[in-house]
Amino acid sequence: LYVVSFGADSRQDLFRKESGYVRDLFDRRFGTEGRSLLLVNHRDTVDDLPIASASNLRDALAGIAERIDRDEDIVAVYLTGHGSRSHDLVVRFPG
């Protein structure tokens, strides 16, 4: 099992907390430590964690795809943030 947790919107602390909680939950319950990744848009984590951007998500998933056993492994992707009226995920990190 591999996990990518993606906190898309920096305007609310909720998304940083929620994405971190999900990653930590998978690490504790399913032993994914070392196979889990947290991408977050938040001013408090910008020096410590990769930002949640479309290109970072694409690169993360491509890196995982190179490592997994496609017949045996599962990749869980958790996305949290606001959506748009057209049901798109809104990724924001102004400034």
Side-chain angles (χ1 to χ4, degrees):
L1 179 60
Y2 292 77
V3 176
V4 177
S5 191
F6 188 91
D9 196 329
S10 68
R11 296 177 303 158
Q12 290 182 309
D13 197 41
L14 165 73
F15 303 121
R16 176 186 62 84
K17 289 178 181 177
E18 193 172 288
S19 58
Y21 176 81
V22 167
R23 193 268 320 259
D24 294 346
L25 177 70
F26 271 81
D27 284 356
R28 281 191 319 272
R29 288 202 180 164
F30 303 109
T32 56
E33 191 169 338
R35 293 183 317 280
S36 61
L37 179 61
L38 180 57
L39 304 170
V40 176
N41 288 341
H42 196 273
R43 60 181 156 75
D44 292 345
T45 62
V46 72
D47 292 329
D48 302 316
L49 296 173
I51 62 169
S53 65
S55 59
N56 278 354
L57 180 59
R58 183 178 48 248
D59 291 347
L61 293 174
I64 291 170
E66 292 175 1
R67 291 173 178 78
I68 66 170
D69 177 340
R70 291 175 187 229
D71 294 325
E72 298 290 328
D73 293 333
I74 297 169
V75 180
V77 179
Y78 182 80
L79 307 171
T80 183
H82 288 295
S84 71
R85 290 188 186 274
S86 59
H87 309 290
D88 296 316
L89 178 67
V90 176
V91 178
R92 287 193 182 117
F93 198 178

mmCIF file of all heavy atoms in Angstrom, residues 1-6 17-38 73-79:
data_model
loop_
_atom_site.group_PDB
_atom_site.id
_atom_site.type_symbol
_atom_site.label_atom_id
_atom_site.label_comp_id
_atom_site.label_asym_id
_atom_site.label_seq_id
_atom_site.Cartn_x
_atom_site.Cartn_y
_atom_site.Cartn_z
ATOM 1 N N LEU A 1 0.836 -1.182 0.000
ATOM 2 C CA LEU A 1 0.000 0.000 0.000
ATOM 3 C C LEU A 1 0.879 1.242 0.000
ATOM 4 O O LEU A 1 1.824 1.328 0.783
ATOM 5 C CB LEU A 1 -0.921 -0.002 1.223
ATOM 6 C CG LEU A 1 -1.865 1.166 1.405
ATOM 7 C CD1 LEU A 1 -2.823 1.300 0.227
ATOM 8 C CD2 LEU A 1 -2.637 1.003 2.705
ATOM 9 N N TYR A 2 0.573 2.175 -0.871
ATOM 10 C CA TYR A 2 1.229 3.478 -0.956
ATOM 11 C C TYR A 2 0.154 4.553 -0.789
ATOM 12 O O TYR A 2 -0.985 4.347 -1.207
ATOM 13 C CB TYR A 2 1.899 3.670 -2.321
ATOM 14 C CG TYR A 2 3.084 2.773 -2.545
ATOM 15 C CD1 TYR A 2 2.921 1.433 -2.872
ATOM 16 C CD2 TYR A 2 4.375 3.270 -2.447
ATOM 17 C CE1 TYR A 2 4.013 0.611 -3.077
ATOM 18 C CE2 TYR A 2 5.478 2.461 -2.653
ATOM 19 C CZ TYR A 2 5.283 1.128 -2.960
ATOM 20 O OH TYR A 2 6.371 0.315 -3.157
ATOM 21 N N VAL A 3 0.537 5.689 -0.197
ATOM 22 C CA VAL A 3 -0.427 6.760 0.050
ATOM 23 C C VAL A 3 0.157 8.098 -0.372
ATOM 24 O O VAL A 3 1.308 8.411 -0.057
ATOM 25 C CB VAL A 3 -0.805 6.840 1.547
ATOM 26 C CG1 VAL A 3 -1.736 8.009 1.803
ATOM 27 C CG2 VAL A 3 -1.418 5.554 2.013
ATOM 28 N N VAL A 4 -0.646 8.866 -1.095
ATOM 29 C CA VAL A 4 -0.333 10.268 -1.383
ATOM 30 C C VAL A 4 -1.495 11.087 -0.848
ATOM 31 O O VAL A 4 -2.645 10.870 -1.232
ATOM 32 C CB VAL A 4 -0.155 10.527 -2.895
ATOM 33 C CG1 VAL A 4 0.091 12.000 -3.159
ATOM 34 C CG2 VAL A 4 0.963 9.670 -3.469
ATOM 35 N N SER A 5 -1.191 12.014 0.065
ATOM 36 C CA SER A 5 -2.216 12.879 0.647
ATOM 37 C C SER A 5 -1.918 14.310 0.217
ATOM 38 O O SER A 5 -0.799 14.801 0.379
ATOM 39 C CB SER A 5 -2.211 12.735 2.171
ATOM 40 O OG SER A 5 -3.330 13.350 2.737
ATOM 41 N N PHE A 6 -2.922 14.997 -0.326
ATOM 42 C CA PHE A 6 -2.751 16.243 -1.059
ATOM 43 C C PHE A 6 -3.662 17.322 -0.477
ATOM 44 O O PHE A 6 -4.882 17.251 -0.634
ATOM 45 C CB PHE A 6 -3.113 15.949 -2.522
ATOM 46 C CG PHE A 6 -2.851 17.019 -3.521
ATOM 47 C CD1 PHE A 6 -1.641 17.077 -4.191
ATOM 48 C CD2 PHE A 6 -3.837 17.937 -3.838
ATOM 49 C CE1 PHE A 6 -1.425 18.042 -5.166
ATOM 50 C CE2 PHE A 6 -3.622 18.909 -4.809
ATOM 51 C CZ PHE A 6 -2.405 18.954 -5.471
ATOM 52 N N LYS A 17 -4.179 20.236 7.997
ATOM 53 C CA LYS A 17 -4.424 19.296 9.088
ATOM 54 C C LYS A 17 -5.042 18.004 8.582
ATOM 55 O O LYS A 17 -4.648 16.905 8.982
ATOM 56 C CB LYS A 17 -5.340 19.934 10.132
ATOM 57 C CG LYS A 17 -4.675 21.030 10.930
ATOM 58 C CD LYS A 17 -5.648 21.657 11.906
ATOM 59 C CE LYS A 17 -5.004 22.770 12.702
ATOM 60 N NZ LYS A 17 -5.980 23.414 13.608
ATOM 61 N N GLU A 18 -6.026 18.116 7.719
ATOM 62 C CA GLU A 18 -6.735 16.948 7.214
ATOM 63 C C GLU A 18 -5.818 16.035 6.403
ATOM 64 O O GLU A 18 -5.812 14.819 6.595
ATOM 65 C CB GLU A 18 -7.916 17.402 6.362
ATOM 66 C CG GLU A 18 -8.903 16.326 6.043
ATOM 67 C CD GLU A 18 -10.124 16.892 5.359
ATOM 68 O OE1 GLU A 18 -10.934 17.559 6.021
ATOM 69 O OE2 GLU A 18 -10.246 16.669 4.136
ATOM 70 N N SER A 19 -5.037 16.618 5.507
ATOM 71 C CA SER A 19 -4.143 15.792 4.690
ATOM 72 C C SER A 19 -3.064 15.136 5.546
ATOM 73 O O SER A 19 -2.703 13.979 5.317
ATOM 74 C CB SER A 19 -3.540 16.606 3.546
ATOM 75 O OG SER A 19 -2.838 17.723 4.042
ATOM 76 N N GLY A 20 -2.554 15.852 6.544
ATOM 77 C CA GLY A 20 -1.569 15.262 7.452
ATOM 78 C C GLY A 20 -2.166 14.149 8.288
ATOM 79 O O GLY A 20 -1.542 13.110 8.511
ATOM 80 N N TYR A 21 -3.396 14.353 8.753
ATOM 81 C CA TYR A 21 -4.080 13.324 9.527
ATOM 82 C C TYR A 21 -4.245 12.038 8.717
ATOM 83 O O TYR A 21 -4.001 10.937 9.225
ATOM 84 C CB TYR A 21 -5.445 13.827 10.007
ATOM 85 C CG TYR A 21 -6.233 12.767 10.732
ATOM 86 C CD1 TYR A 21 -5.977 12.492 12.073
ATOM 87 C CD2 TYR A 21 -7.210 12.029 10.068
ATOM 88 C CE1 TYR A 21 -6.685 11.488 12.730
ATOM 89 C CE2 TYR A 21 -7.914 11.035 10.724
ATOM 90 C CZ TYR A 21 -7.655 10.765 12.042
ATOM 91 O OH TYR A 21 -8.343 9.765 12.691
ATOM 92 N N VAL A 22 -4.664 12.165 7.476
ATOM 93 C CA VAL A 22 -4.881 10.985 6.629
ATOM 94 C C VAL A 22 -3.565 10.240 6.410
ATOM 95 O O VAL A 22 -3.517 9.008 6.546
ATOM 96 C CB VAL A 22 -5.541 11.381 5.293
ATOM 97 C CG1 VAL A 22 -5.490 10.247 4.294
ATOM 98 C CG2 VAL A 22 -6.973 11.819 5.543
ATOM 99 N N ARG A 23 -2.500 10.968 6.087
ATOM 100 C CA ARG A 23 -1.201 10.305 5.901
ATOM 101 C C ARG A 23 -0.773 9.590 7.183
ATOM 102 O O ARG A 23 -0.367 8.425 7.157
ATOM 103 C CB ARG A 23 -0.154 11.324 5.483
ATOM 104 C CG ARG A 23 1.177 10.773 4.960
ATOM 105 C CD ARG A 23 2.286 10.562 5.970
ATOM 106 N NE ARG A 23 2.416 11.579 6.962
ATOM 107 C CZ ARG A 23 3.318 12.556 6.950
ATOM 108 N NH1 ARG A 23 4.158 12.665 5.968
ATOM 109 N NH2 ARG A 23 3.368 13.428 7.945
ATOM 110 N N ASP A 24 -0.886 10.260 8.333
ATOM 111 C CA ASP A 24 -0.497 9.657 9.608
ATOM 112 C C ASP A 24 -1.372 8.453 9.956
ATOM 113 O O ASP A 24 -0.884 7.453 10.498
ATOM 114 C CB ASP A 24 -0.563 10.691 10.728
ATOM 115 C CG ASP A 24 0.470 11.793 10.568
ATOM 116 O OD1 ASP A 24 1.417 11.641 9.758
ATOM 117 O OD2 ASP A 24 0.332 12.829 11.255
ATOM 118 N N LEU A 25 -2.656 8.529 9.656
ATOM 119 C CA LEU A 25 -3.572 7.422 9.907
ATOM 120 C C LEU A 25 -3.165 6.182 9.106
ATOM 121 O O LEU A 25 -3.105 5.070 9.646
ATOM 122 C CB LEU A 25 -4.998 7.834 9.543
ATOM 123 C CG LEU A 25 -6.067 6.753 9.690
ATOM 124 C CD1 LEU A 25 -6.313 6.456 11.160
ATOM 125 C CD2 LEU A 25 -7.354 7.199 9.016
ATOM 126 N N PHE A 26 -2.872 6.359 7.831
ATOM 127 C CA PHE A 26 -2.424 5.232 7.006
ATOM 128 C C PHE A 26 -1.100 4.671 7.526
ATOM 129 O O PHE A 26 -0.912 3.456 7.562
ATOM 130 C CB PHE A 26 -2.296 5.651 5.536
ATOM 131 C CG PHE A 26 -3.567 5.486 4.751
ATOM 132 C CD1 PHE A 26 -4.567 6.442 4.816
ATOM 133 C CD2 PHE A 26 -3.761 4.391 3.939
ATOM 134 C CE1 PHE A 26 -5.745 6.304 4.095
ATOM 135 C CE2 PHE A 26 -4.930 4.233 3.206
ATOM 136 C CZ PHE A 26 -5.930 5.192 3.285
ATOM 137 N N ASP A 27 -0.195 5.554 7.937
ATOM 138 C CA ASP A 27 1.090 5.090 8.476
ATOM 139 C C ASP A 27 0.877 4.228 9.721
ATOM 140 O O ASP A 27 1.504 3.172 9.865
ATOM 141 C CB ASP A 27 2.002 6.276 8.811
ATOM 142 C CG ASP A 27 2.630 6.923 7.593
ATOM 143 O OD1 ASP A 27 2.437 6.435 6.462
ATOM 144 O OD2 ASP A 27 3.321 7.944 7.784
ATOM 145 N N ARG A 28 0.012 4.661 10.622
ATOM 146 C CA ARG A 28 -0.238 3.918 11.870
ATOM 147 C C ARG A 28 -1.009 2.624 11.626
ATOM 148 O O ARG A 28 -0.636 1.566 12.134
ATOM 149 C CB ARG A 28 -1.041 4.775 12.856
ATOM 150 C CG ARG A 28 -0.255 5.806 13.602
ATOM 151 C CD ARG A 28 -1.059 6.438 14.743
ATOM 152 N NE ARG A 28 -2.446 6.741 14.437
ATOM 153 C CZ ARG A 28 -2.878 7.879 13.890
ATOM 154 N NH1 ARG A 28 -2.018 8.817 13.562
ATOM 155 N NH2 ARG A 28 -4.165 8.068 13.657
ATOM 156 N N ARG A 29 -2.090 2.723 10.879
ATOM 157 C CA ARG A 29 -2.984 1.557 10.749
ATOM 158 C C ARG A 29 -2.525 0.529 9.725
ATOM 159 O O ARG A 29 -2.804 -0.658 9.865
ATOM 160 C CB ARG A 29 -4.390 2.011 10.396
ATOM 161 C CG ARG A 29 -5.089 2.672 11.541
ATOM 162 C CD ARG A 29 -6.570 2.633 11.355
ATOM 163 N NE ARG A 29 -7.216 3.283 12.480
ATOM 164 C CZ ARG A 29 -8.465 3.677 12.467
ATOM 165 N NH1 ARG A 29 -9.195 3.490 11.391
ATOM 166 N NH2 ARG A 29 -8.985 4.257 13.516
ATOM 167 N N PHE A 30 -1.863 1.024 8.678
ATOM 168 C CA PHE A 30 -1.522 0.115 7.581
ATOM 169 C C PHE A 30 -0.026 0.004 7.322
ATOM 170 O O PHE A 30 0.383 -0.622 6.346
ATOM 171 C CB PHE A 30 -2.250 0.557 6.299
ATOM 172 C CG PHE A 30 -3.739 0.629 6.469
ATOM 173 C CD1 PHE A 30 -4.388 1.845 6.509
ATOM 174 C CD2 PHE A 30 -4.495 -0.527 6.606
ATOM 175 C CE1 PHE A 30 -5.767 1.923 6.673
ATOM 176 C CE2 PHE A 30 -5.876 -0.466 6.776
ATOM 177 C CZ PHE A 30 -6.508 0.764 6.807
ATOM 178 N N GLY A 31 0.797 0.630 8.156
ATOM 179 C CA GLY A 31 2.247 0.501 8.036
ATOM 180 C C GLY A 31 2.822 1.093 6.765
ATOM 181 O O GLY A 31 3.776 0.556 6.211
ATOM 182 N N THR A 32 2.277 2.209 6.310
ATOM 183 C CA THR A 32 2.746 2.801 5.059
ATOM 184 C C THR A 32 3.929 3.756 5.235
ATOM 185 O O THR A 32 4.371 4.351 4.258
ATOM 186 C CB THR A 32 1.606 3.562 4.348
ATOM 187 O OG1 THR A 32 1.078 4.544 5.239
ATOM 188 C CG2 THR A 32 0.524 2.608 3.890
ATOM 189 N N GLU A 33 4.444 3.902 6.458
ATOM 190 C CA GLU A 33 5.584 4.796 6.667
ATOM 191 C C GLU A 33 6.718 4.404 5.715
ATOM 192 O O GLU A 33 7.054 3.240 5.573
ATOM 193 C CB GLU A 33 6.069 4.709 8.108
ATOM 194 C CG GLU A 33 7.062 5.778 8.444
ATOM 195 C CD GLU A 33 7.336 5.854 9.933
ATOM 196 O OE1 GLU A 33 6.505 5.394 10.729
ATOM 197 O OE2 GLU A 33 8.397 6.378 10.274
ATOM 198 N N GLY A 34 7.260 5.388 5.030
ATOM 199 C CA GLY A 34 8.255 5.126 3.992
ATOM 200 C C GLY A 34 7.646 4.935 2.618
ATOM 201 O O GLY A 34 8.341 4.933 1.611
ATOM 202 N N ARG A 35 6.302 4.744 2.588
ATOM 203 C CA ARG A 35 5.566 4.623 1.321
ATOM 204 C C ARG A 35 4.400 5.595 1.294
ATOM 205 O O ARG A 35 3.410 5.381 0.601
ATOM 206 C CB ARG A 35 5.068 3.188 1.128
ATOM 207 C CG ARG A 35 6.167 2.177 0.928
ATOM 208 C CD ARG A 35 5.625 0.781 0.675
ATOM 209 N NE ARG A 35 4.520 0.398 1.538
ATOM 210 C CZ ARG A 35 4.622 -0.036 2.803
ATOM 211 N NH1 ARG A 35 5.802 -0.121 3.370
ATOM 212 N NH2 ARG A 35 3.546 -0.380 3.492
ATOM 213 N N SER A 36 4.508 6.658 2.095
ATOM 214 C CA SER A 36 3.456 7.672 2.125
ATOM 215 C C SER A 36 4.076 9.039 1.865
ATOM 216 O O SER A 36 5.220 9.291 2.238
ATOM 217 C CB SER A 36 2.739 7.669 3.477
ATOM 218 O OG SER A 36 3.619 7.967 4.528
ATOM 219 N N LEU A 37 3.294 9.890 1.235
ATOM 220 C CA LEU A 37 3.784 11.210 0.857
ATOM 221 C C LEU A 37 2.707 12.240 1.154
ATOM 222 O O LEU A 37 1.520 12.010 0.888
ATOM 223 C CB LEU A 37 4.127 11.238 -0.637
ATOM 224 C CG LEU A 37 4.633 12.552 -1.210
ATOM 225 C CD1 LEU A 37 5.925 12.997 -0.533
ATOM 226 C CD2 LEU A 37 4.838 12.423 -2.705
ATOM 227 N N LEU A 38 3.149 13.362 1.699
ATOM 228 C CA LEU A 38 2.250 14.465 2.024
ATOM 229 C C LEU A 38 2.647 15.676 1.193
ATOM 230 O O LEU A 38 3.774 16.153 1.273
ATOM 231 C CB LEU A 38 2.373 14.770 3.523
ATOM 232 C CG LEU A 38 1.530 15.878 4.114
ATOM 233 C CD1 LEU A 38 0.049 15.633 3.859
ATOM 234 C CD2 LEU A 38 1.812 15.982 5.612
ATOM 235 N N ASP A 73 0.212 -4.249 -5.478
ATOM 236 C CA ASP A 73 0.176 -3.040 -4.664
ATOM 237 C C ASP A 73 -1.039 -2.170 -4.957
ATOM 238 O O ASP A 73 -1.604 -2.209 -6.039
ATOM 239 C CB ASP A 73 1.447 -2.207 -4.874
ATOM 240 C CG ASP A 73 2.677 -2.907 -4.337
ATOM 241 O OD1 ASP A 73 2.552 -3.723 -3.403
ATOM 242 O OD2 ASP A 73 3.784 -2.646 -4.843
ATOM 243 N N ILE A 74 -1.389 -1.357 -3.966
ATOM 244 C CA ILE A 74 -2.484 -0.396 -4.068
ATOM 245 C C ILE A 74 -1.916 0.987 -3.810
ATOM 246 O O ILE A 74 -1.089 1.159 -2.915
ATOM 247 C CB ILE A 74 -3.582 -0.694 -3.029
ATOM 248 C CG1 ILE A 74 -4.202 -2.064 -3.298
ATOM 249 C CG2 ILE A 74 -4.639 0.401 -3.014
ATOM 250 C CD1 ILE A 74 -5.097 -2.547 -2.181
ATOM 251 N N VAL A 75 -2.375 1.962 -4.569
ATOM 252 C CA VAL A 75 -1.994 3.357 -4.356
ATOM 253 C C VAL A 75 -3.263 4.120 -3.996
ATOM 254 O O VAL A 75 -4.209 4.174 -4.779
ATOM 255 C CB VAL A 75 -1.336 3.984 -5.605
ATOM 256 C CG1 VAL A 75 -0.965 5.441 -5.344
ATOM 257 C CG2 VAL A 75 -0.114 3.176 -6.035
ATOM 258 N N ALA A 76 -3.268 4.671 -2.774
ATOM 259 C CA ALA A 76 -4.404 5.489 -2.321
ATOM 260 C C ALA A 76 -4.017 6.952 -2.476
ATOM 261 O O ALA A 76 -2.942 7.363 -2.040
ATOM 262 C CB ALA A 76 -4.732 5.175 -0.864
ATOM 263 N N VAL A 77 -4.884 7.727 -3.107
ATOM 264 C CA VAL A 77 -4.663 9.155 -3.286
ATOM 265 C C VAL A 77 -5.808 9.883 -2.592
ATOM 266 O O VAL A 77 -6.980 9.657 -2.911
ATOM 267 C CB VAL A 77 -4.606 9.545 -4.777
ATOM 268 C CG1 VAL A 77 -4.398 11.050 -4.938
ATOM 269 C CG2 VAL A 77 -3.510 8.767 -5.491
ATOM 270 N N TYR A 78 -5.445 10.742 -1.632
ATOM 271 C CA TYR A 78 -6.433 11.502 -0.885
ATOM 272 C C TYR A 78 -6.269 12.972 -1.248
ATOM 273 O O TYR A 78 -5.197 13.544 -1.054
ATOM 274 C CB TYR A 78 -6.231 11.297 0.619
ATOM 275 C CG TYR A 78 -7.243 12.024 1.447
ATOM 276 C CD1 TYR A 78 -8.514 11.499 1.641
ATOM 277 C CD2 TYR A 78 -6.940 13.246 2.019
ATOM 278 C CE1 TYR A 78 -9.467 12.171 2.387
ATOM 279 C CE2 TYR A 78 -7.883 13.932 2.775
ATOM 280 C CZ TYR A 78 -9.136 13.386 2.948
ATOM 281 O OH TYR A 78 -10.063 14.059 3.687
ATOM 282 N N LEU A 79 -7.316 13.563 -1.784
ATOM 283 C CA LEU A 79 -7.309 14.971 -2.190
ATOM 284 C C LEU A 79 -8.268 15.742 -1.298
ATOM 285 O O LEU A 79 -9.426 15.350 -1.148
ATOM 286 C CB LEU A 79 -7.754 15.116 -3.647
ATOM 287 C CG LEU A 79 -7.027 14.273 -4.689
ATOM 288 C CD1 LEU A 79 -7.736 14.380 -6.028
ATOM 289 C CD2 LEU A 79 -5.586 14.700 -4.807
#
